[in-house]
Amino acid sequence: AKSSVAWVDADTLAVATDFGAGSMTLSGYPRRLKLWKRGTELATAAAIYEIAETDVGLWLWDEQGRQLVVEHRQGFFDGKQLLLRPGKVRKLQALQKPDDASALPQGERLLLELRKDWQVGGQTYAAGSLLAMGTQALIEGRPQIQTLFSPGERSALHSYAATRNAVIGVVQTEQGQTLREWRWHQGRWQSRDLPAQGAVSLAVRAVDSLNSDRYWLTRSGFLQPSELRMAEAGHDRQVRVQQLPELFDASGLEVQRLHTTAADGTRIPYWLVQPKGPVPPGGRPTLLYGYGGFEIALNPSYSGILGRAWYAQGGAYVVANIRGGGEFGPRWHQSAQKEHRQRSFGDFIAVAEDLLRRGLTSPKQLGIMGGSLGGLLTSVAMVQRPELFGAVVSQVPLTDMRRYHRLLAGHSWIAEYGDPDVPAEWDYIQAYSPYQQAKGAPAYPPVLYTSSTLDDRVHPGHARKMVARLQELGQPVWYWENREGGHAGASDLRQTALMWALSYRFLQQQLMAQSKVAGERAGQ
């Protein structure tokens, strides 16, 4: 039911769930909020808020008993936030903010992250900024704003966590992520950068946001297992709490940050992980991974599966930071939304072309992989530029963009892709939709589609129909569908192992056999 539950006080729960006919949105999320009193039946709970069936849905969270926050999403990126505070009067108070800005209460203060420029009080605050203000003042529409973070052209606030008196932010830069601290001290915000981190991914979370300035810090990289540390705002010291074990030998590998140029001149960065030393004549087997949507950034991450199934076999791995993602904030994402979606696909293709231009690999040794939107990305790349690739793995993908919005959670993604029922929007969607654009010639590279019967986000019909279409066209295609597992494609470790074993074995067979042939020819 995609339920959301939060405490209002010790004897009251706020509940948004499937209450029966008419209580869910077209996207499959709750649309009614009820207050459930202790000792009563849920069926008798009183409704205090309801949204339209065409809205995305309702979500709830509580600030440790201080106040309930209601997230009313009208679109995937747009929505209202309302507060319900402890007391006898059960009245929701709306925050007077832009609908596409995200608000996070911090005691009596409130943090506001902007997705578009905001003009207020005679001043313009840039998209991607993090602002601080009093909560009550914002409710009353008279905010006194202080800017904590303002983005640069190639920098963005990736994420942040609020402690009692501080905000710890993960800042995305051209070369990776760094930490920044804003601390409320003696009546004003003080900012400082924490020691640089390098090519790692960072995540922060408050230990106790109401009573402490301590926070958890997680670090990981392509070659470094995840490490958990404890730190405190105002101090540089970080205490290692735990580190996951090394799952493969990384001593012979190196990580590089490279760039290429898209067709419109935009500079596109990507990560490259490969064996140290000279590249063999003819290049080496290389796997290119991408996503490029919903303002999600792809950063260095540790994978024992990738290490053993790919690195250990001599393969190189590439992560493309294409437009549509969140690498450089909301503008980077918005530049590839709706009618601009082809930019994302073009960026991915530009990275592939750059790998070939540098001699790092060859078309017969270059594979691509992606899941969900990334599955759409790899399917589009295969259809548009089949000569660039030697193999494709497309996991839980979207492929039929004519009907995506009528299947499961698809209606909630109209803000990202556009509405196929609007002729002008279908014009640009159908131009790339792989199910509609697939052809019998030229020959496509071998492709493996994977899906799940019980995927409740991307309907398995996308993968099934694409496989059937490619079979009709005489194109080389393989398919594996797991009966369980939801959008992850597997429900337990055994199924997960099988799914990844199939995927990497497929890539090894298609790409590494070509590498051996190329090596033999170079030796002759």
Side-chain angles (χ1 to χ4, degrees):
K2 297 182 173 67
S3 303
S4 189
V5 179
W7 290 103
V8 175
D9 56 42
D11 295 309
T12 311
L13 277 172
V15 181
T17 188
D18 185 350
F19 291 109
S23 66
M24 305 292 278
T25 67
L26 294 177
S27 299
Y29 297 96
R31 55 184 292 250
R32 290 177 186 156
L33 172 63
K34 296 187 178 185
L35 294 186
W36 186 15
K37 295 291 185 180
R38 186 184 298 277
T40 66
E41 295 294 328
L42 178 58
T44 66
I48 64 166
Y49 194 70
E50 183 171 318
I51 67 174
E53 187 181 41
T54 53
D55 290 345
V56 172
L58 285 176
W59 287 266
L60 316 170
W61 71 89
D62 63 276
E63 193 190 25
Q64 298 185 18
R66 282 196 177 186
Q67 55 196 350
L68 171 75
V69 181
V70 179
E71 181 86 20
H72 167 191
R73 283 283 164 182
Q74 296 157 300
F76 195 91
F77 304 103
D78 300 340
K80 301 180 182 300
Q81 285 174 300
L82 306 97
L83 301 182
L84 184 66
R85 297 180 172 183
K88 294 182 179 181
V89 178
R90 296 301 192 211
K91 181 180 178 182
L92 287 168
Q93 297 177 302
L95 299 175
Q96 304 302 311
K97 66 172 186 63
D99 283 348
D100 58 1
S102 298
L104 176 68
Q106 185 195 35
E108 293 306 312
R109 294 186 295 269
L110 188 131
L111 304 170
L112 197 66
E113 188 175 6
L114 303 181
R115 295 196 72 255
K116 293 181 181 176
D117 292 353
W118 185 29
Q119 293 184 344
V120 60
Q123 188 168 346
T124 300
Y125 298 91
S129 296
L130 182 65
L131 312 176
M133 62 205 71
T135 302
Q136 190 58 38
L138 184 61
I139 290 173
E140 296 171 0
R142 49 176 185 82
Q144 296 179 329
I145 299 171
Q146 294 175 289
T147 302
L148 301 188
F149 177 84
S150 185
E153 184 178 352
R154 305 286 285 191
S155 67
L157 183 65
H158 177 265
S159 60
Y160 66 93
T163 68
R164 180 180 57 186
N165 296 302
V167 178
I168 310 299
V170 177
V171 178
Q172 191 95 24
T173 69
E174 188 76 59
Q175 297 302 319
Q177 295 184 337
T178 60
L179 278 182
R180 189 169 298 174
E181 174 189 290
W182 300 273
R183 191 160 66 102
W184 183 257
H185 184 64
Q186 296 181 349
R188 65 186 183 92
W189 290 100
Q190 298 180 350
S191 172
R192 70 188 186 112
D193 290 328
L194 299 177
Q197 304 297 321
V200 296
S201 293
L202 305 173
V204 290
R205 183 169 182 170
V207 173
D208 180 352
S209 60
L210 294 182
N211 303 303
S212 171
D213 279 328
R214 292 183 299 168
Y215 60 93
W216 299 109
L217 171 64
T218 305
R219 303 173 74 254
S220 64
F222 288 114
L223 308 180
Q224 299 85 33
S226 295
E227 177 188 63
L228 180 66
R229 297 182 179 185
M230 172 80 76
E232 185 172 0
H235 304 274
D236 288 338
R237 184 168 178 259
Q238 298 175 356
V239 179
R240 179 187 292 180
V241 177
Q242 193 171 31
Q243 181 166 4
L244 295 181
E246 294 184 354
L247 298 175
F248 61 90
D249 182 6
S251 60
L253 299 170
E254 64 180 0
V255 179
Q256 293 178 267
R257 188 66 159 161
L258 301 176
H259 295 80
T260 188
T261 303
D264 62 1
T266 302
R267 185 173 159 90
I268 308 299
Y270 62 92
W271 295 103
L272 169 65
V273 185
Q274 65 176 351
K276 296 177 181 177
V279 177
R284 57 167 54 97
T286 300
L287 178 59
L288 170 59
Y289 187 88
Y291 187 76
F294 295 98
E295 205 174 326
I296 294 174
L298 295 186
N299 289 299
S301 62
Y302 190 81
S303 169
I305 296 174
L306 184 65
R308 294 189 181 190
W310 195 249
Y311 296 147
Q313 310 304 316
Y317 183 62
V318 176
V319 175
N321 298 133
I322 58 182
R323 281 174 287 185
E327 284 78 7
F328 301 125
R331 289 194 178 97
W332 188 254
H333 165 233
Q334 292 159 14
S335 67
Q337 276 184 280
K338 290 190 171 183
E339 69 270 26
H340 304 304
R341 173 58 52 188
Q342 181 60 41
R343 289 175 179 169
S344 180
F345 307 139
D347 292 353
F348 190 70
I349 290 169
V351 172
E353 291 175 328
D354 195 57
L355 296 172
L356 300 174
R357 188 181 305 112
R358 293 174 185 266
L360 297 172
T361 188
S362 65
K364 292 293 186 181
Q365 299 178 92
L366 178 57
I368 53 176
M369 176 187 283
S372 192
L373 167 53
L376 170 64
L377 170 70
T378 51
S379 294
V380 171
M382 174 187 72
V383 170
Q384 292 186 355
R385 296 295 303 277
E387 77 281 3
L388 295 178
F389 311 112
V392 179
V393 175
S394 181
Q395 301 166 317
V396 292
L398 289 92
T399 63
D400 179 6
M401 298 303 289
R402 182 66 185 89
R403 298 166 184 83
Y404 84 89
H405 62 314
R406 300 182 182 275
L407 299 172
L408 301 175
H411 189 270
S412 65
W413 308 327
I414 287 176
E416 183 75 7
Y417 303 116
D419 188 344
D421 290 338
V422 177
E425 298 186 19
W426 173 239
D427 283 346
Y428 61 74
I429 295 172
Q430 64 87 25
Y432 67 77
S433 181
Y435 181 71
Q436 280 75 27
Q437 294 298 325
K439 299 177 177 62
Y444 295 158
V447 55
L448 169 65
Y449 281 97
T450 69
S451 188
S452 167
T453 308
L454 297 182
D455 190 338
D456 64 351
R457 191 166 302 178
V458 175
H459 197 286
H462 282 280
R464 295 170 186 168
K465 291 176 65 174
M466 191 65 184
V467 169
R469 174 59 59 88
L470 293 177
Q471 287 176 332
E472 292 170 353
L473 296 172
Q475 297 284 8
V477 59
W478 283 256
Y479 184 52
W480 181 76
E481 180 176 316
N482 188 39
R483 290 174 180 256
E484 302 171 311
H487 197 44
S491 64
D492 57 29
L493 294 179
R494 186 179 298 275
Q495 293 175 0
T496 301
L498 175 58
M499 178 185 71
W500 286 112
L502 288 170
S503 298
Y504 280 105
R505 186 59 178 156
F506 173 79
L507 290 167
Q508 290 169 7
Q509 290 175 338
Q510 301 300 329
L511 305 176
M512 291 188 170
Q514 297 294 333
S515 176
K516 292 177 181 178
V517 171
E520 291 171 359
R521 289 176 178 171
Q524 293 173 353

